[in-house]
Amino acid sequence: MEREQLAALVRQRQEAGERAVFTNGCFDLLHLGHVRYLQEARALGDFLIVGLNSDESTRALKGPGRPLVPQEERAEILAALACVDYVTIFGEPTACDLVALLRPAIYVKGGDYAASPLSASARDSVPDPARLPEAQVVQSYGGSVRLIPYLAHHSTTELIMAIKRLP
């Protein structure tokens, strides 16, 4: 969904009293860690918006061999998940502009963005401002930032390494 169209829809739902949850990422090679993370994020509010890094921004973050799956396909896969209500693609280095436009009540990222190692109550951990500039944007308008514990041994990088080890 284009961001301007999405912004109008989000505003409408928020005016009706619904709580928007927003997260963002590359979501290259969707795996169980992604699915559980998105399900937990969705459970925090009334609807979930995923900001998807474009192919260009994914390359800048992950390196020249990524993404493995083109942005339009990644967006379609995410949109097919029951826990995801909306997907929009962004090309900026961070999702700050998108967060400022949509103003979600809750911004969610993985526990690997915590300022210190996560405890059992990861959602109450403080985000690392150097690695999560979106947190400042969310806090500036009164939204909340939640961190979801990272599911160990479930990452796209680990999948790629396992595939490379195949005979």
Side-chain angles (χ1 to χ4, degrees), residues 7 9-20 47 102-105:
L9 200 76
V10 169
R11 217 172 4 264
Q12 185 179 42
R13 291 187 73 167
Q14 287 174 321
E15 286 170 2
E18 293 183 82
R19 291 168 42 100
F47 61 102
L102 300 176
R103 298 173 63 96

Side-chain angles (χ1 to χ4, degrees), residues 97-150:
D97 290 346
L98 192 52
V99 170
L101 175 68
L102 300 176
R103 298 173 63 96
I106 303 166
Y107 177 74
V108 177
K109 282 301 269 188
D112 49 332
Y113 284 88
S116 59
L118 287 180
S119 64
S121 60
R123 289 190 190 98
D124 300 324
S125 296
V126 177
D128 179 354
R131 295 188 58 231
L132 200 58
E134 295 89 349
Q136 230 177 353
V137 175
V138 173
Q139 291 162 344
S140 75
Y141 63 77
S144 66
V145 177
R146 304 292 283 276
L147 299 177
I148 292 177
Y150 178 76

Side-chain angles (χ1 to χ4, degrees), residues 72-83:
E72 294 300 330
E73 291 181 25
R74 289 183 284 130
E76 187 174 335
I77 292 166
L78 286 167
L81 296 174
C83 58

